[in-house]
Amino acid sequence: MNIAMIGYPTYGGSGVVATELAKQLAVRGHDVHFISSEVPVRLSRFEERLRFHPVDTPSYYLFKHPPYTLAVASKAFEVWKNEGIDILHAHYAVPHAISAVLARMMAGAGGPRVVTTLHGTDITLVGQEPSFRPTVELGLRCSDAVTSVSSALRAQTLAAFDVRDPGRIRVIPNFVDTTVFRPGAAHELRARFADPAEALLIHVSNLRPVKRVDWVLRILHGVNRTRPARLLLVGDGPEMGRLIALADELGIRERVHFLGSQSDVAGLLAASDVFLLPSAQESFGLASLEAMAAGVPVVASRVGGIPEVVEDGTTGILADDLERMIEAVQELLADGARRCRMGRAARRVAVHRFAQELIVPMYESLYEATMAGETVAAG
Ligand code: GMT
């Protein structure tokens, strides 16, 4: 098949999923075109059947904001015209779904089929802004197939938008490369961040308010009341300044390693004891799946799609409030045998339910069904 992905190039989960999917489809013999404003962070390695097409959004003195939505649509149309793509797969509905639909309209009869994957805040937050909502709804209705990364997100989509035919939203969960994210002897790396007697916690995100990273710092602060612990804070984003100030205020600044954006987090995860994800909303929590694949138990909030990924009491601990999260981390750090058991269970779940070789074929069969014009039933 000839497939074009539209996705964000940054560290956000939707861009990571789009890039990893593109790479896997190329390895499996498809011709894949990645349409984005920049080369995605995880597209560092050469892949023979994978090509990058930059979106250029020119400015003009009349524009306060250059019209990115139109530039993506035109680029997708151009790629279809030059490469004859079968499937145009938009990741993150705002604004990629409507850009893809526009490109299909430009192509006319014989144009590509449009698949839209919903990732989270494109439905739960940004997509519901009155300035975007009608175009998101239209994008969903006009896509030939729609997928969501969890059942929770599917239900939220149906509650918030009139997609006309609910059966068209199929759940295809996110996936992980379990050969890259795996438990490993990470003693040397770990020794750079913590003494043997200290616990090492980790959080990875794009540091936006929805991730509640201030709770991550408060968890570290709470845990340090009973045992010495340090934190790897991986990622960058709008909350960074506030977090540094909070770490100072709590007196834990020297216990936090602010690592900024990192393209290779697998080793850092494997070196850590517990992964923290106290988000206010989370449709899936890809970073927690990567931690699980690395054999690290997760302490997270019981919201959105997280319970579909992290099994409470088996592969991690889910909690509804900050105090319970602090307790949960303390429990895991106090009982090394339980922590290791959970880490092994987490790895098993990642391998047996979320490995890329299990999930990528689901997209392939969705593409085939969409091209055959079949109604795509809910998963
Ligand atoms: O909202 C974000 O955190 C960014 C967003 C994205 O599109 O980059 O992440 C969402 O998509 C990820 C990949 O499918 C999911 O793992 C995240 O749970 C989801 N984030 C939220 O729902 C907050």
Side-chain angles (χ1 to χ4, degrees):
M1 263 180 281
N2 208 342
I3 303 152
M5 297 283 165
I6 303 175
Y8 287 111
T10 48
Y11 286 93
S14 69
V16 170
V17 172
T19 313
E20 296 296 338
L21 179 59
K23 289 194 308 203
Q24 281 313 303
L25 290 167
V27 167
R28 292 164 74 89
H30 302 285
D31 289 308
V32 187
H33 304 270
F34 203 99
I35 298 171
S36 191
S37 52
E38 282 168 44
V39 179
V41 278
R42 291 233 188 147
L43 205 65
S44 46
R45 211 183 54 214
F46 173 73
E47 208 57 76
E48 202 180 325
R49 289 178 171 274
L50 176 50
R51 280 173 46 206
F52 172 67
H53 302 266
V55 175
D56 181 27
T57 311
S59 202
Y60 185 58
Y61 78 99
L62 283 178
F63 301 156
K64 186 166 174 217
H65 305 290
Y68 169 76
T69 308
L70 303 184
V72 172
S74 299
K75 178 57 76 173
F77 170 67
E78 179 192 303
V79 174
W80 169 79
K81 205 165 59 158
N82 296 337
E83 311 285 346
I85 52 176
D86 307 303
I87 295 283
L88 188 50
H89 189 163
H91 287 264
Y92 203 86
V94 187
H96 295 151
I98 204 69
S99 298
V101 168
L102 275 176
R104 189 190 57 196
M105 288 171 79
M106 291 175 213
R113 295 301 187 129
V114 170
V115 175
T116 295
T117 290
L118 310 175
H119 282 275
T121 50
D122 48 350
I123 291 298
T124 58
L125 214 65
V126 193
Q128 300 201 26
E129 292 281 343
S131 315
F132 301 132
R133 206 194 134 76
T135 52
V136 170
E137 197 160 75
L138 186 66
L140 300 186
R141 285 181 188 169
C142 294
S143 295
D144 297 292
V146 178
T147 79
S148 93
V149 297
S150 64
S151 301
L153 182 61
R154 180 177 184 277
Q156 284 170 310
T157 308
L158 294 177
F161 293 93
D162 177 8
V163 299
R164 296 261 158 85
D165 175 10
R168 287 171 58 257
I169 306 185
R170 177 189 283 199
V171 177
I172 301 185
N174 287 333
F175 56 87
V176 62
D177 184 341
T178 55
T179 63
V180 172
F181 291 90
R182 59 174 202 272
H187 306 298
E188 275 178 34
L189 188 58
R190 187 195 163 91
R192 289 201 224 159
F193 300 113
D195 291 338
E198 290 173 324
L200 190 58
L201 312 179
I202 184 166
H203 171 80
V204 182
S205 79
N206 42 19
L207 309 191
R208 284 163 314 130
V210 72
K211 299 287 174 184
R212 281 202 301 221
V213 191
D214 53 330
W215 283 31
V216 172
L217 295 183
R218 291 183 196 284
I219 292 170
L220 176 70
H221 180 246
V223 168
N224 264 292
R225 289 198 296 256
T226 53
R227 64 173 59 237
R230 291 186 186 271
L231 170 71
L232 300 182
L233 196 65
V234 185
D236 205 346
E239 290 283 273
M240 184 59 108
R242 215 166 66 84
L243 293 169
I244 292 174
L246 181 62
D248 280 335
E249 190 190 309
L250 295 172
I252 54 167
R253 175 75 185 267
E254 83 293 349
R255 307 225 133 249
V256 185
H257 299 279
F258 287 95
L259 297 182
S261 295
Q262 298 285 331
S263 53
D264 181 8
V265 294
L268 297 171
L269 289 168
S272 305
D273 299 314
V274 179
F275 182 85
L276 304 176
L277 193 65
S279 311
Q281 288 178 31
E282 200 68 67
S283 69
F284 185 91
L286 181 61
S288 62
L289 174 60
E290 293 177 339
M292 286 166 58
V296 180
V298 176
V299 170
S301 32
R302 200 190 316 272
V303 293
I306 292 183
E308 295 170 48
V309 183
V310 180
E311 207 178 306
D312 191 16
T314 308
T315 61
I317 298 178
L318 301 184
D320 299 312
D321 60 72
L322 177 61
E323 276 314 310
R324 176 62 196 127
M325 280 185 205
I326 295 171
E327 269 171 32
V329 176
Q330 282 169 333
E331 283 167 24
L332 289 181
L333 295 179
D335 187 347
R338 183 173 176 223
R339 195 173 70 245
C340 289
R341 233 178 9 254
M342 275 196 173
R344 282 195 299 272
R347 168 76 188 169
R348 272 198 302 278
V349 168
V351 169
H352 294 300
R353 285 187 44 214
F354 297 108
Q356 61 186 14
E357 50 276 26
L358 302 176
I359 307 297
V360 174
M362 293 185 191
Y363 280 110
E364 287 175 311
S365 35
L366 174 80
Y367 295 158
E368 276 158 21
T370 309
M371 281 170 63
E374 291 169 23
T375 304
V376 179

